[in-house]
Amino acid sequence: MKRKIEISKETILPIIVFVFSVFNILSNLNNISLSILLSIIGIISTILFFRQNNFSTKLIYIWLIAQVIIIEPIFDLSQSSFTLAFALGLGSYSLKINILPLLFLGLIKVIESSNLIGKEINLLEFRQNAISDFLPTKGKISERIDFNENKNWLLIELENQMEYEGTKIGKVLIKNKDAEKSIKLKEKNQIAPLRLVTDESKLVTKELSEFPFIDWIRCE
C-alpha cells in the first residue's frame, strides 16, 4: 500500500528529512563526507514511509539522532542547515550539541502510528466487560486521530459488527495505555482503552467524550 503525498502532521517530518537530505547531497558533491551516507539513509526512510513500511521509523530516528553530536573538525553528520547548536571549545576541537533534531523526536510516535494504517489488528478480552461476547475480533486500522489534547488514537474498522445497548457498532477507537508508546502489531498483551464509535459524524468534532469508554482490552 502506498501513502498519498500530501502535507499533514503525519508527513511533515519525512518530507523535512527528504528535503534536507537532498540539499545536503547537492551541497557536498565536491566534498564527499559521511554526512552524504546519512542523507542517503534519510532519502530511503522517506521512500519507505510513503510505502508504509514500518522500517522507515527506525531510519528516521537514526537520521535525527546521528546529527545531535558534532565534533569539529573530525565528526559532523549534520544535514546542511538542519542545525541549532551550542558549542563547547576543547582545545583544537569544538564539541557542539545540535538540539534541532531532538525537537522533532516527538513526531516519531506519529509516524509509528500512521504506518499502521491499512494493517489488521487483533482485539482481545482483558477482563469481563459489556462486549466480552464479541471478543476476540479483528479489525483494520483506518485512521490516526488526535482528539484535542488526547492524541494518537487509532480508528479501527471491525471485521464483524458488535452490538452495544441496541446499537450496531462497526468502528472503535484504541490507543496504547502507555501514552509514551504507540500500538505495535504482533506485540503480545498490549493494553489499550476501548471507545465505541456510536456516531461516525462526531469524529469531526475531535471531542473524545463523544465516544463511550467501555473498558480496557488487549491488542496485538
Side-chain angles (χ1 to χ4, degrees), residues 163-177:
E163 187 171 324
Y164 177 73
E165 295 183 348
T167 301
K168 295 288 185 181
I169 305 296
K171 294 182 180 181
V172 297
L173 292 159
I174 66 169
K175 68 177 293 184
N176 199 310
K177 182 182 180 181

Side-chain angles (χ1 to χ4, degrees), residues 1-19:
M1 178 183 294
K2 292 184 179 180
R3 193 189 310 271
K4 189 188 304 181
I5 299 178
E6 59 184 3
I7 302 295
S8 66
K9 186 174 182 179
E10 287 82 5
T11 63
I12 187 65
L13 179 54
I15 290 173
I16 287 173
V17 170
F18 182 83
V19 169

Side-chain angles (χ1 to χ4, degrees), residues 135-148:
L135 298 174
T137 189
K138 294 181 179 180
K140 181 180 287 187
I141 301 168
S142 61
E143 190 177 349
R144 189 197 71 83
I145 302 177
D146 289 337
F147 290 98
N148 296 325

Side-chain angles (χ1 to χ4, degrees), residues 140 142-143 145 147 155-158 160-162 167-173 195-208 210-212:
K140 181 180 287 187
S142 61
E143 190 177 349
I145 302 177
F147 290 98
L155 180 65
I156 313 295
E157 295 182 2
L158 298 175
N160 298 303
Q161 286 189 332
M162 63 176 67
T167 301
K168 295 288 185 181
I169 305 296
K171 294 182 180 181
V172 297
L173 292 159
R195 289 181 176 270
L196 303 184
V197 180
T198 53
D199 184 349
E200 291 184 38
S201 66
K202 292 181 179 178
L203 287 169
V204 299
T205 67
K206 303 298 184 182
E207 290 293 339
L208 189 61
E210 297 282 3
F211 308 101

Side-chain angles (χ1 to χ4, degrees), residues 4-211:
K4 189 188 304 181
I5 299 178
E6 59 184 3
I7 302 295
S8 66
K9 186 174 182 179
E10 287 82 5
T11 63
I12 187 65
L13 179 54
I15 290 173
I16 287 173
V17 170
F18 182 83
V19 169
F20 277 94
S21 296
V22 170
F23 184 68
N24 187 63
I25 290 175
L26 295 177
S27 300
N28 290 281
L29 289 177
N30 298 322
N31 181 29
I32 303 302
S33 65
L34 281 177
S35 71
I36 291 182
L37 176 60
L38 189 63
S39 298
I40 293 171
I41 290 174
I43 291 170
I44 292 172
S45 72
T46 303
I47 293 171
L48 291 178
F49 172 79
F50 281 102
R51 290 182 174 273
Q52 289 193 250
N53 186 308
N54 292 340
F55 193 57
S56 64
T57 307
K58 293 182 175 63
L59 293 183
I60 290 174
Y61 182 80
I62 290 171
W63 188 89
L64 290 170
I65 293 301
Q67 299 179 64
V68 173
I69 302 297
I70 301 170
I71 305 175
E72 293 181 338
I74 60 174
F75 182 80
D76 184 357
L77 298 182
S78 62
Q79 303 291 291
S80 297
S81 56
F82 193 74
T83 54
L84 179 61
F86 297 95
L88 175 64
L90 296 173
S92 58
Y93 301 104
S94 176
L95 172 64
K96 292 183 177 180
I97 306 298
N98 183 12
I99 67 169
L100 187 56
L102 300 176
L103 300 178
F104 284 90
L105 283 178
L107 290 175
I108 290 292
K109 188 168 63 174
V110 173
I111 292 174
E112 283 182 331
S113 295
S114 65
N115 274 335
L116 298 177
I117 294 173
K119 308 289 178 59
E120 191 174 83
I121 190 168
N122 296 309
L123 306 180
L124 311 167
E125 185 181 49
F126 175 63
R127 60 190 177 190
Q128 190 74 21
N129 58 49
I131 60 168
S132 290
D133 290 344
F134 298 96
L135 298 174
T137 189
K138 294 181 179 180
K140 181 180 287 187
I141 301 168
S142 61
E143 190 177 349
R144 189 197 71 83
I145 302 177
D146 289 337
F147 290 98
N148 296 325
E149 297 304 314
N150 201 320
K151 304 183 183 303
N152 228 33
W153 287 81
L154 296 176
L155 180 65
I156 313 295
E157 295 182 2
L158 298 175
E159 184 176 66
N160 298 303
Q161 286 189 332
M162 63 176 67
E163 187 171 324
Y164 177 73
E165 295 183 348
T167 301
K168 295 288 185 181
I169 305 296
K171 294 182 180 181
V172 297
L173 292 159
I174 66 169
K175 68 177 293 184
N176 199 310
K177 182 182 180 181
D178 185 342
E180 299 302 315
K181 296 181 180 179
S182 302
I183 295 289
K184 290 181 172 56
L185 298 184
K186 299 182 180 179
E187 185 172 310
K188 301 292 185 181
N189 296 321
Q190 298 172 93
I191 307 301
L194 178 75
R195 289 181 176 270
L196 303 184
V197 180
T198 53
D199 184 349
E200 291 184 38
S201 66
K202 292 181 179 178
L203 287 169
V204 299
T205 67
K206 303 298 184 182
E207 290 293 339
L208 189 61
S209 59
E210 297 282 3
F211 308 101

